[in-house]
Each structure stands twice: as C-alpha cells, then as structure tokens.
Amino acid sequence: MNFYIASSFKNIESVRYIRGLFIKEGHVLTYDWTKNDRATIEALKCIGQKQKDAVIAADVIIVLLPAGKGSHIEMGIALGRRKKIFLYSPNKEVNNSATTSTFYHLPEVKKCFGTLDELVSMVLG
C-alpha cells in the first residue's frame, strides 16, 4: 500500500513514528516532508509539487490534527481523487463545532480518536 501522512511541523515526531510503523510492515511512503526545513518561496514550489504528486500516488491519506493549511489542501486533493482518508483527532477536536471543518464529517473520512497505535491498527485493519 502507498501512503501519505499530512500534518503540521508541530506533529513531526508523531508523523515519523507512524511512518516507521507502516514502512516496517512493508508499505511505501509516497513523500517524506519531515525531511524538509522551513523553506523559501522558491523551494515551496518544488515541495508543493512533490506533495501534490505524493497525495495522487497514495492509496491512503492520513491526516493528523492539528494540521496546517497545506494538510487541508492535501486532504482536499485526496477527497477529489476519492482516496481513502483517515483523520486522526487525538483530543476529539473534530467534534468541536467552533473549530471543526465540514469536510471532516464527510462519510468517506474515517475518524480516529485515541492513540497513534490505534490509528495505525485502524488503517491497517
């Protein structure tokens, strides 16, 4: 299975943890944005293309909240391409009407609460 993990830099350790578990099981990460540093505008063009291509190449997209603008765009690409999407909300913030997004509640978005290991089990299940 090809997979992509969308999130923000503040979740970088969680992304790396999940990445390692999936790779250990023989799955392929389509792009590892955690290897990037904060980038210049010029570098962002290249990174953005790589991330877009990675979402398109993935069978499964995992979105870890809290996520940034880019993650939500990646989720939008995944929705438009009818990818399997797993949304991880450790504090159930997706159920907070003041901060949630309508797109989090589409039937094709599978929500996961709990630990990162429970998320991995859900995706691999």
Side-chain angles (χ1 to χ4, degrees), residues 15-103:
V15 171
R16 288 176 175 160
Y17 176 75
I18 292 168
R19 173 196 68 199
L21 293 176
F22 278 98
I23 289 172
K24 184 178 174 184
E25 292 292 321
H27 303 288
V28 177
L29 179 64
T30 56
Y31 181 69
D32 189 355
W33 58 265
T34 70
K35 294 180 179 178
N36 298 333
D37 292 322
R38 296 287 180 185
T40 64
I41 296 296
E42 196 57 38
L44 288 174
K45 292 178 188 177
C46 179
I47 292 168
Q49 186 63 54
K50 288 178 182 178
Q51 289 175 312
K52 176 182 153 192
D53 293 344
V55 170
I56 292 168
D59 302 307
V60 171
I61 310 300
I62 301 161
V63 181
L64 299 183
L65 297 179
K69 295 177 292 207
S71 300
H72 288 90
I73 292 168
E74 291 160 344
M75 184 175 166
I77 294 167
L79 283 165
R81 304 285 296 204
R82 299 187 187 277
K83 303 288 180 172
K84 290 182 184 174
I85 301 168
F86 292 85
L87 180 66
Y88 177 69
S89 176
N91 301 315
K92 297 186 179 183
E93 62 267 37
V94 297
N95 293 329
N96 180 342
S97 61
T99 58
T100 197
S101 167
T102 56
F103 296 100

Side-chain angles (χ1 to χ4, degrees), residues 101-125:
S101 167
T102 56
F103 296 100
Y104 294 167
H105 304 282
L106 292 174
E108 58 265 46
V109 176
K110 304 210 180 340
K111 293 179 246 173
C112 180
F113 311 110
T115 68
L116 293 174
D117 291 321
E118 288 171 316
L119 168 66
V120 170
S121 293
M122 180 184 213
V123 175
L124 294 178

